[in-house]
Amino acid sequence: MDTFYTQLKRALETTERDVWIETVLEGERRGEKRLLTSAPDEEKDSPRVFRERVGRSPKLIICGGGHVSIPVIKMGKMLGFVVTVLEDRPKFADNARAAGADTVICEPFSIELSKIRGDSDTWFVIVTRGHRYDTECLEEILKKQYAYVGMMGSRRRVAIVKDQLEERGIDRAELERVYTPIGLKIGAQTPEEIAVSIMAEVIQVKNSRQRTGGYSKELLNALFVPDEGDGAGDTQKKVLATIISRKGSAPRDVGTKMLIREDGTTVDTIGGGCVESEIIQKALLMMRTGKERYQICRVDMTLEAAEDEGMVCGGVVEVMLEYISRH
């Protein structure tokens, strides 16, 4: 029988739309979880529920491997994106590989884009060498699900591309969703400055979306995949810690997660320091006694406590602890 986290991983891999999780926090059903593929409705007179949009690993698809593409690749990697570059010229494709792109596809753009499966966590950046290629890329991208599409070019060049695609039957409203000219207006001139403006706009759009910290690939794997060398599989008990609320200053945001194993090792972090140490101790106690499979812990980092422990934060966080059954 599939576990909840097996179902979650499958949904993230096969569904192009957003994936949501609801966890009941109070009452007889406390700890129950539900997987959704559309935004949940707020239900009145219902138990307290933690709702989160689960992000996949963000994917940055760069169309074009020219001089602007290189610093965009490097910044994308620094920001945690899985970077793919589409470039039809072998020399420029080699430059993209040398810059650290995870994947480089060197074929005509229409063929390259047919190999890309979009979803709500895919970010497209079009920086090709001419409006003919811009048109080709944008037409294919707009057939896919995406989080963001930005296209470099002068206003005249952008207008030509949009007019051509409208004549081919693409809705004007869809075309107007494209970020053009790409990037925040910071007076960028050099390739590096242009790359900063592009990635700043991507960050702005990404952080304006309603989502939580989500599950990293490493965390999802650790939730149900046997650890290497375990033979019969990972027999360790585990507790998943999730920040479900915060007030004031706190090191990490709502939805941030950490997995604690019974040997004390962890996957990911909820901010480190005294907060994380306290949560780890509570999780280890849960696994040791076996009395509780679910609890909510309140960690106070108000000014007095923060000063005593040498912390820079001064807020209060609630952390949900869930015992993960062995698989």
Side-chain angles (χ1 to χ4, degrees):
M1 181 177 179
D2 283 351
T3 67
F4 175 83
Y5 294 104
T6 302
Q7 296 172 26
L8 172 60
K9 186 179 182 186
R10 183 181 301 123
L12 291 172
E13 291 174 343
T14 60
T15 304
E16 295 181 357
R17 296 177 296 177
D18 289 343
V19 175
W20 292 76
I21 294 175
E22 286 189 334
T23 306
V24 178
L25 302 179
E26 299 173 346
E28 295 180 357
R29 295 169 48 222
R30 64 197 297 263
E32 288 187 13
K33 306 179 86 69
R34 183 165 66 136
L35 192 63
L36 305 169
T37 53
S38 61
D41 295 326
E42 296 283 347
E43 297 180 11
K44 294 182 179 180
D45 302 322
S46 63
R48 185 184 175 202
V49 172
F50 176 59
R51 297 178 175 90
E52 56 180 327
R53 190 187 80 82
V54 183
R56 305 167 184 83
S57 296
K59 297 170 285 292
L60 183 65
I61 313 299
I62 305 171
C63 299
H67 59 294
V68 172
S69 177
I70 301 305
V72 172
I73 293 168
K74 295 177 180 179
M75 291 181 196
K77 292 297 297 177
M78 289 174 60
L79 292 168
F81 287 84
V82 178
V83 179
T84 297
V85 177
L86 314 181
E87 172 54 61
D88 59 350
R89 298 167 293 178
K91 178 181 178 181
F92 288 87
D94 287 341
N95 292 340
R97 292 187 185 94
D102 296 283
T103 302
V104 178
I105 305 175
C106 187
E107 293 182 80
F109 287 111
S110 59
I111 295 175
E112 294 170 342
L113 281 165
S114 69
K115 299 179 180 180
I116 302 297
R117 174 184 169 272
D119 58 36
S120 58
D121 290 287
T122 301
W123 306 73
F124 289 95
V125 170
I126 303 174
V127 286
T128 74
R129 61 190 182 276
H131 73 263
R132 176 165 68 91
Y133 302 102
D134 292 344
T135 304
E136 184 178 340
C137 290
L138 187 57
E139 184 174 17
E140 291 299 318
I141 290 169
L142 292 182
K143 298 174 184 177
K144 306 176 185 291
Q145 184 84 5
Y146 59 84
Y148 166 95
V149 181
M151 184 171 67
M152 189 172 68
S154 65
R155 296 190 182 279
R156 180 176 177 276
R157 174 170 156 178
V158 166
I160 291 172
V161 171
K162 288 184 176 181
D163 289 345
Q164 288 177 339
L165 292 180
E166 187 175 21
E167 290 174 1
R168 297 181 190 180
I170 296 179
D171 184 71
R172 190 74 190 190
E174 185 71 17
L175 291 167
E176 294 304 326
R177 290 180 58 197
V178 179
Y179 287 80
T180 56
I182 196 171
L184 297 184
K185 296 179 180 179
I186 60 173
Q189 296 183 13
T190 66
E192 292 76 16
E193 291 175 348
I194 294 170
V196 168
S197 75
I198 291 171
M199 294 311 299
E201 184 171 74
V202 167
I203 292 169
Q204 183 182 66
V205 174
K206 181 170 70 71
N207 290 347
S208 68
R209 304 168 72 201
Q210 185 181 5
R211 62 163 291 176
T212 65
Y215 297 77
S216 68
K217 182 178 179 181
E218 293 76 16
L219 180 59
L220 267 180
N221 287 339
L223 281 166
F224 64 94
V225 174
D227 287 343
E228 186 177 354
D230 282 340
D234 182 6
T235 60
Q236 290 197 65
K237 301 173 184 177
K238 303 168 187 175
V239 168
L240 180 65
T242 305
I243 297 176
I244 59 173
S245 75
R246 75 171 191 174
K247 295 180 181 178
S249 176
R252 300 297 298 272
D253 207 349
V254 170
T256 305
K257 295 175 175 60
M258 175 178 68
L259 187 71
I260 304 103
R261 298 187 182 94
E262 63 179 322
D263 65 359
T265 59
T266 62
V267 179
D268 292 346
T269 176
I270 56 171
C274 298
V275 174
E276 190 164 291
S277 177
E278 181 175 339
I279 293 301
I280 290 173
Q281 293 307 311
K282 289 181 180 295
L284 292 174
L285 185 62
M286 281 179 68
M287 290 182 275
R288 192 174 302 124
T289 64
K291 293 180 179 179
E292 292 185 276
R293 301 183 68 85
Y294 171 89
Q295 64 173 298
I296 295 176
C297 304
R298 184 177 182 271
V299 183
D300 193 335
M301 299 177 292
T302 51
L303 184 58
E304 293 80 5
E307 287 180 348
D308 290 342
E309 299 293 345
M311 295 186 291
V312 297
C313 299
V316 177
V317 296
E318 282 186 303
V319 181
M320 174 173 63
L321 298 180
E322 302 171 89
Y323 180 89
I324 307 298
S325 301
R326 296 171 180 173
H327 312 139

